[in-house]
Amino acid sequence: MSEIIVKQVTYVHADRESLFQNISFSVPSGSKVALIGNNGSGKSTLLKIIARELLPESGEIIGAENVYYIPQHMGQFNDWSVAEALRVDRKIKALRAILAGDAGEYNFTVLGDDWEIEERSYAALTDWDLSNVYLEQKMSSLSGGEKTRVFLAGIQVHSPDVILLDEPTNHLDKWSRGKLYDLICLGRATVLVVSHDRVLLNRLFSMLELGNKGITLYGGNFDFYKEQKEMHLNALREQVEEKQKELRLAKKIAREAAERQQKREVRGEKQSLRKGIPRIMMNTLKNKAERCTSKLSDVHAEKIDSISTTLSESRASLSGVEQMKVDFNSSQLHEGKILISADGINFGYQSEMLWEEVLTFQIKSGERVGLDGRNGSGKTTLLKLLLGQLEPTKGTLTRADFKYVYVDQECSILRNELTVYEQAECFNEQNFPEHELKMRLNRFLFPREVWDKPCYKLSGGERMRLVFCCLMIGNNTPDVFVLDEPTNNLDILNIEIITSAIKDFRGTVIAVSHDRYFMEEIMVNRYILDSVSKSV
């Protein structure tokens, strides 16, 4: 059965903290559906439950038979052979035993009629540009992109009815991504995919959003989903504005009512003195007036609290991009200044050069340049050459004096042993007081409960937000932002935060990313590599 039915599923962590409760939805046979949501919402856990790799606290999975599941992280498979990753190791072993003369019943039972399993496996590997990979080879010997392609090759080997994919485009180059898009969209299998790849999401026509209020279905691709979310955000913005006005009015009414009541009490006390009312009676009247004032004050306070609560809830519902604002100063370098000039450069050892042709190009201040190429084409090496960490083997490369900030997917400028607050303090070159640092952390979506959290425990999105928060605290505006696959392993919310920050930056950007949507959003308009410099 290739339909996926998730019925009233609840999952609770080992520490008894609930991740999600009573989740229900269905994916019809043959449908291609995206599962989206912020980091920590439980998307990967839900995929594992559907794949029967995790048991829910309650609820059940119906259907989803003959499932092929590809996880996001693959380090746990380093000790496996490629055959084990492809799930063909037992059949390959049985086939080779039979060919070696072992006619035992067990080997024939394991192999069945699949006499072409080895040829089919190698054909699938070759189809994913892994012709140099052997079934006996350890997964640890492969790059991140090669590991992903091994698992994707397994889809062709097994022809599953249901495919579950968790961030499958991480580490994949443009060619591999295009092949994956076709595999997902043109195949007959039912597909449920967790992804932040907006190009892929725009090829799917149903979005399931997992959030703290459950799961919501949006019929349409990612652009349509964004339109719906923007309409919802506009309504929230109006609600926030209306509640702000209502709160100001309620406070004004409460203040005016208190002033009127106070004047009445003063007038009443003066009249009582003139009329010669006994003091005991005056005290009784005074106590009654105070009770009346207190009751009136309580009524207004309750109304103000109610409005304030609604306002806080509305503000919290706004996206992270709405709540925080990254505002870097403009680079001090004049636009058009030549920062890097490469003349016939190449890199390698002795006669073995990295690129078939030498590279000649310039990068000027204010430009937005991408380094493009397939996995293994030398993007990281070229980046190190541009930053002066390596020198070219051939040709000449000159660099002007400029200040840069290097942002990679590991956020390596952070110190893992420090807490969030301690990391912010390290960048406090302007000597902000403690309350100012904490206010800025709050603005970057780091509330009080995470200030003492070690950086190594932060998610990818949290680490990236902390990098930009620290740069803002230090007023560390660079001349050049160098971005090395910054969107890998991030959810869409955090990608939008980074995108917003880089988009508004008035300076030079050099970016390496296979996420073409991200590159377009940050306005990259020129690509360098593959022996040419080409304009978009």
Side-chain angles (χ1 to χ4, degrees), residues 269-306:
E269 189 172 345
K270 288 180 179 178
Q271 289 173 358
S272 297
L273 286 171
R274 282 198 300 269
K275 291 178 180 177
I277 296 175
R279 184 159 294 279
I280 188 169
M281 182 64 72
M282 284 178 63
N283 287 337
T284 301
L285 292 171
K286 184 178 180 182
N287 289 337
K288 185 177 179 182
E290 286 176 350
R291 285 196 301 272
C292 180
T293 301
S294 176
K295 185 176 180 182
L296 183 64
S297 177
D298 288 345
V299 168
H300 285 294
E302 186 177 334
K303 184 174 183 180
I304 289 170
D305 285 344
S306 174

Side-chain angles (χ1 to χ4, degrees), residues 1 3 9 26 81 100 118 126 153 199 203 207 228 233 266 299 331 336 420 453 458 519 528:
M1 181 176 177
E3 183 181 17
V9 166
S26 64
S81 67
E118 187 166 3
T126 299
V199 175
R203 296 189 176 212
M207 305 283 127
Q228 298 299 304
L233 277 175
V266 171
V299 168
S331 168
V420 168
K453 190 176 184 179
L458 299 178
M519 298 290 262
I528 297 171

Side-chain angles (χ1 to χ4, degrees), residues 138-175:
K138 288 290 185 183
M139 290 288 283
S140 58
S141 66
L142 305 178
S143 68
E146 287 171 331
K147 288 175 186 176
T148 301
R149 281 183 280 148
V150 165
F151 278 92
L152 291 172
I155 295 174
Q156 290 168 240
V157 174
H158 297 285
S159 299
D161 295 325
V162 176
I163 301 172
L164 306 176
L165 304 170
D166 194 353
E167 298 289 2
T169 59
N170 279 356
H171 310 295
L172 291 186
D173 58 27
K174 184 169 62 176
W175 176 85

Side-chain angles (χ1 to χ4, degrees), residues 138-235:
K138 288 290 185 183
M139 290 288 283
S140 58
S141 66
L142 305 178
S143 68
E146 287 171 331
K147 288 175 186 176
T148 301
R149 281 183 280 148
V150 165
F151 278 92
L152 291 172
I155 295 174
Q156 290 168 240
V157 174
H158 297 285
S159 299
D161 295 325
V162 176
I163 301 172
L164 306 176
L165 304 170
D166 194 353
E167 298 289 2
T169 59
N170 279 356
H171 310 295
L172 291 186
D173 58 27
K174 184 169 62 176
W175 176 85
S176 300
R177 288 186 180 214
K179 187 170 178 61
L180 174 62
Y181 300 157
D182 289 342
L183 175 69
I184 291 173
C185 300
L186 303 179
R188 295 182 178 180
T190 304
V191 179
L192 182 60
V193 55
V194 171
S195 181
H196 66 261
D197 182 345
R198 275 77 55 93
V199 175
L200 171 57
L201 295 177
N202 270 330
R203 296 189 176 212
L204 308 178
F205 290 95
S206 289
M207 305 283 127
L208 284 167
E209 183 180 46
L210 182 59
N212 53 14
K213 294 183 179 179
I215 200 153
T216 306
L217 173 65
Y218 293 85
N221 66 2
F222 183 73
D223 282 346
F224 178 78
Y225 159 81
K226 287 289 291 181
E227 289 175 8
Q228 298 299 304
K229 293 292 285 186
E230 187 60 31
M231 289 170 61
H232 177 62
L233 277 175
N234 284 334

Side-chain angles (χ1 to χ4, degrees), residues 497-515:
I497 290 171
I498 298 167
T499 301
S500 175
I502 299 300
K503 207 172 184 179
D504 294 339
F505 169 61
R506 294 293 174 262
T508 310
V509 176
I510 301 173
V512 177
S513 178
H514 294 304
D515 187 341

